[in-house]
């Protein structure tokens, strides 16, 4: 049996009230903890300035060059700048250099024609055989 109209109205009203109340205390605490962790994902070791989780290495390198004395090593501020190259901020040259200096794969040799003829002969001799007694 279906629900009566009053039951449906009461259920819809409960859902509306629940949406108006918003998040519970537990949900708020979890969201705040996640936001705090994201906000302080990168922290400069020298000046303790924090950067969001979506900060790219060029942004962190810019912080090192503009906020700290010249000659400060980027790794002294951020561990994530260990392999960062300021001349190649997007990292496009590194894979290209690795591919150019990598080992050369040998080219595949062409199939021999004799081998192809052997395969064709074997295939032709293995055709369907007629059963004796049927036309």
């Amino acid at each position: 049996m279906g629900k009566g109209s009053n039951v449906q109205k009461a259920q819809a009203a409960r859902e509306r009230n629940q949406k108006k109340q918003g998040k519970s205390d537990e949900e708020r605490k979890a969201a705040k903890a996640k936001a705090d962790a994201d906000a302080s994902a990168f922290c400069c070791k020298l000046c303790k300035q924090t950067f969001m989780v979506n900060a790219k290495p060029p942004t962190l390198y810019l912080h090192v060059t503009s906020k700290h004395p010249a000659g400060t090593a980027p790794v002294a501020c951020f561990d994530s700048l260990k392999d960062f190259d300021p001349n190649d901020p997007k990292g496009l040259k590194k894979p290209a250099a690795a591919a150019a200096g990598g080992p050369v794969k040998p080219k595949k040799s062409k199939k021999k024609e004799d081998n192809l003829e052997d395969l064709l002969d074997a295939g032709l001799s293995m055709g369907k055989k007629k059963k004796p007694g049927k036309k």
Side-chain angles (χ1 to χ4, degrees):
M1 297 186 88
K3 296 180 179 178
S5 64
N6 286 339
V7 175
Q8 289 176 342
K9 288 179 186 176
Q11 188 176 8
R14 255 185 259 118
E15 290 175 3
R16 255 186 278 123
N17 289 336
Q18 193 175 20
K19 286 181 184 177
K20 287 180 184 176
Q21 288 177 351
K23 296 181 181 178
S24 68
D25 289 339
E26 295 170 357
E27 291 173 331
R28 277 193 213 100
K29 287 179 184 176
K32 183 176 180 350
K34 183 183 181 307
D36 290 345
D38 288 348
S40 63
F42 297 107
C43 183
C44 178
K45 294 177 185 176
L46 301 178
C47 66
K48 303 298 183 195
Q49 182 176 349
T50 58
F51 292 87
M52 299 252 331
V53 70
N54 60 354
K56 305 268 188 265
T59 306
L60 301 176
Y61 184 77
L62 181 67
H63 166 79
V64 173
T65 56
S66 62
K67 300 290 182 182
H68 298 294
T72 303
V75 180
C77 291
F78 302 103
D79 291 332
S80 61
L81 291 179
K82 184 175 108 178
D83 295 328
F84 180 71
D85 181 13
N87 298 326
D88 183 24
K90 293 188 178 181
L92 301 176
K93 295 176 186 175
K94 186 176 181 181
V104 178
K105 294 181 181 177
K107 293 184 179 179
K108 293 182 180 179
S109 61
K110 294 183 180 179
K111 292 183 179 178
K112 297 179 181 176
E113 291 183 22
D114 296 335
N115 194 9
L116 184 60
E117 289 176 7
D118 291 342
L119 289 173
L120 285 174
D121 290 340
L124 292 175
S125 65
M126 306 248 342
K128 289 186 179 179
K129 297 180 181 177
K130 292 183 182 178
K131 292 183 180 179
K134 291 190 177 180
K135 293 184 181 179

